PDB file of all heavy atoms in Angstrom:
ATOM      1  N   ARG A 110      43.447  28.961  77.190  1.00 64.00           N
ATOM      2  CA  ARG A 110      42.752  29.155  78.474  1.00 64.00           C
ATOM      3  C   ARG A 110      43.746  29.183  79.628  1.00 64.00           C
ATOM      4  O   ARG A 110      43.606  29.890  80.594  1.00 64.00           O
ATOM      5  CB  ARG A 110      41.724  28.047  78.695  1.00 64.00           C
ATOM      6  CG  ARG A 110      40.396  28.373  78.065  1.00 64.00           C
ATOM      7  CD  ARG A 110      39.418  27.258  78.280  1.00 64.00           C
ATOM      8  NE  ARG A 110      39.749  26.111  77.449  1.00 64.00           N
ATOM      9  CZ  ARG A 110      39.567  24.857  77.815  1.00 64.00           C
ATOM     10  NH1 ARG A 110      39.088  24.576  78.999  1.00 64.00           N
ATOM     11  NH2 ARG A 110      39.878  23.877  77.002  1.00 64.00           N
ATOM     12  N   LEU A 111      44.775  28.350  79.546  1.00 67.00           N
ATOM     13  CA  LEU A 111      45.834  28.342  80.563  1.00 67.00           C
ATOM     14  C   LEU A 111      47.152  28.599  79.852  1.00 67.00           C
ATOM     15  O   LEU A 111      47.320  28.219  78.707  1.00 67.00           O
ATOM     16  CB  LEU A 111      45.906  26.971  81.254  1.00 67.00           C
ATOM     17  CG  LEU A 111      44.749  26.591  82.166  1.00 67.00           C
ATOM     18  CD1 LEU A 111      44.862  25.129  82.553  1.00 67.00           C
ATOM     19  CD2 LEU A 111      44.761  27.462  83.417  1.00 67.00           C
ATOM     20  N   THR A 112      48.070  29.222  80.541  1.00 76.00           N
ATOM     21  CA  THR A 112      49.369  29.479  79.913  1.00 76.00           C
ATOM     22  C   THR A 112      50.451  28.700  80.649  1.00 76.00           C
ATOM     23  O   THR A 112      50.183  27.865  81.478  1.00 76.00           O
ATOM     24  CB  THR A 112      49.687  30.982  79.917  1.00 76.00           C
ATOM     25  OG1 THR A 112      49.576  31.431  81.261  1.00 76.00           O
ATOM     26  CG2 THR A 112      48.758  31.745  79.009  1.00 76.00           C
ATOM     27  N   GLY A 113      51.710  29.020  80.347  1.00 91.00           N
ATOM     28  CA  GLY A 113      52.819  28.302  80.963  1.00 91.00           C
ATOM     29  C   GLY A 113      53.211  27.128  80.093  1.00 91.00           C
ATOM     30  O   GLY A 113      52.403  26.629  79.314  1.00 91.00           O
ATOM     31  N   SER A 114      54.487  26.721  80.195  1.00 95.00           N
ATOM     32  CA  SER A 114      54.994  25.664  79.332  1.00 95.00           C
ATOM     33  C   SER A 114      56.061  24.846  80.033  1.00 95.00           C
ATOM     34  O   SER A 114      57.112  25.353  80.420  1.00 95.00           O
ATOM     35  CB  SER A 114      55.572  26.305  78.059  1.00 95.00           C
ATOM     36  OG  SER A 114      56.432  25.421  77.399  1.00 95.00           O
ATOM     37  N   ALA A 115      55.776  23.560  80.197  1.00 98.00           N
ATOM     38  CA  ALA A 115      56.783  22.650  80.783  1.00 98.00           C
ATOM     39  C   ALA A 115      58.014  22.582  79.882  1.00 98.00           C
ATOM     40  O   ALA A 115      59.148  22.476  80.365  1.00 98.00           O
ATOM     41  CB  ALA A 115      56.173  21.259  80.960  1.00 98.00           C
ATOM     42  N   ALA A 116      57.796  22.676  78.566  1.00 98.00           N
ATOM     43  CA  ALA A 116      58.925  22.574  77.615  1.00 98.00           C
ATOM     44  C   ALA A 116      59.902  23.725  77.807  1.00 98.00           C
ATOM     45  O   ALA A 116      61.121  23.563  77.702  1.00 98.00           O
ATOM     46  CB  ALA A 116      58.391  22.568  76.188  1.00 98.00           C
ATOM     47  N   LYS A 117      59.366  24.896  78.103  1.00 97.00           N
ATOM     48  CA  LYS A 117      60.207  26.075  78.295  1.00 97.00           C
ATOM     49  C   LYS A 117      61.077  25.887  79.541  1.00 97.00           C
ATOM     50  O   LYS A 117      62.282  26.175  79.527  1.00 97.00           O
ATOM     51  CB  LYS A 117      59.290  27.297  78.455  1.00 97.00           C
ATOM     52  CG  LYS A 117      59.961  28.606  78.241  1.00 97.00           C
ATOM     53  CD  LYS A 117      58.905  29.695  78.180  1.00 97.00           C
ATOM     54  CE  LYS A 117      59.546  31.056  78.107  1.00 97.00           C
ATOM     55  NZ  LYS A 117      58.566  32.123  78.027  1.00 97.00           N
ATOM     56  N   ARG A 118      60.473  25.383  80.616  1.00 97.00           N
ATOM     57  CA  ARG A 118      61.228  25.152  81.863  1.00 97.00           C
ATOM     58  C   ARG A 118      62.307  24.088  81.666  1.00 97.00           C
ATOM     59  O   ARG A 118      63.434  24.225  82.142  1.00 97.00           O
ATOM     60  CB  ARG A 118      60.293  24.704  82.985  1.00 97.00           C
ATOM     61  CG  ARG A 118      59.286  25.733  83.376  1.00 97.00           C
ATOM     62  CD  ARG A 118      59.962  26.959  84.003  1.00 97.00           C
ATOM     63  NE  ARG A 118      58.978  27.979  84.282  1.00 97.00           N
ATOM     64  CZ  ARG A 118      58.258  28.031  85.408  1.00 97.00           C
ATOM     65  NH1 ARG A 118      58.455  27.139  86.343  1.00 97.00           N
ATOM     66  NH2 ARG A 118      57.361  28.974  85.582  1.00 97.00           N
ATOM     67  N   ALA A 119      61.934  23.017  80.982  1.00 98.00           N
ATOM     68  CA  ALA A 119      62.900  21.932  80.755  1.00 98.00           C
ATOM     69  C   ALA A 119      64.060  22.440  79.900  1.00 98.00           C
ATOM     70  O   ALA A 119      65.231  22.138  80.165  1.00 98.00           O
ATOM     71  CB  ALA A 119      62.203  20.748  80.074  1.00 98.00           C
ATOM     72  N   ALA A 120      63.742  23.266  78.902  1.00 98.00           N
ATOM     73  CA  ALA A 120      64.797  23.804  78.026  1.00 98.00           C
ATOM     74  C   ALA A 120      65.760  24.680  78.817  1.00 98.00           C
ATOM     75  O   ALA A 120      66.976  24.632  78.623  1.00 98.00           O
ATOM     76  CB  ALA A 120      64.162  24.605  76.885  1.00 98.00           C
ATOM     77  N   ARG A 121      65.213  25.460  79.735  1.00 98.00           N
ATOM     78  CA  ARG A 121      66.064  26.350  80.540  1.00 98.00           C
ATOM     79  C   ARG A 121      67.070  25.535  81.360  1.00 98.00           C
ATOM     80  O   ARG A 121      68.254  25.841  81.415  1.00 98.00           O
ATOM     81  CB  ARG A 121      65.178  27.181  81.468  1.00 98.00           C
ATOM     82  CG  ARG A 121      65.935  28.295  82.167  1.00 98.00           C
ATOM     83  CD  ARG A 121      65.072  29.014  83.165  1.00 98.00           C
ATOM     84  NE  ARG A 121      63.886  29.615  82.574  1.00 98.00           N
ATOM     85  CZ  ARG A 121      62.832  30.050  83.277  1.00 98.00           C
ATOM     86  NH1 ARG A 121      62.818  29.955  84.571  1.00 98.00           N
ATOM     87  NH2 ARG A 121      61.806  30.573  82.662  1.00 98.00           N
ATOM     88  N   ARG A 122      66.586  24.471  81.955  1.00 98.00           N
ATOM     89  CA  ARG A 122      67.457  23.627  82.777  1.00 98.00           C
ATOM     90  C   ARG A 122      68.527  22.937  81.905  1.00 98.00           C
ATOM     91  O   ARG A 122      69.704  22.875  82.260  1.00 98.00           O
ATOM     92  CB  ARG A 122      66.598  22.590  83.521  1.00 98.00           C
ATOM     93  CG  ARG A 122      67.363  21.521  84.247  1.00 98.00           C
ATOM     94  CD  ARG A 122      68.089  22.046  85.484  1.00 98.00           C
ATOM     95  NE  ARG A 122      68.913  21.012  86.083  1.00 98.00           N
ATOM     96  CZ  ARG A 122      70.023  21.227  86.760  1.00 98.00           C
ATOM     97  NH1 ARG A 122      70.458  22.458  86.953  1.00 98.00           N
ATOM     98  NH2 ARG A 122      70.699  20.232  87.270  1.00 98.00           N
TER      99      ARG A 122
END
Side-chain angles (χ1 to χ4, degrees):
R110 273 179 287 145
L111 290 170
T112 54
S114 161
K117 198 170 174 179
R118 296 294 176 86
R121 190 185 301 165
R122 171 71 185 151

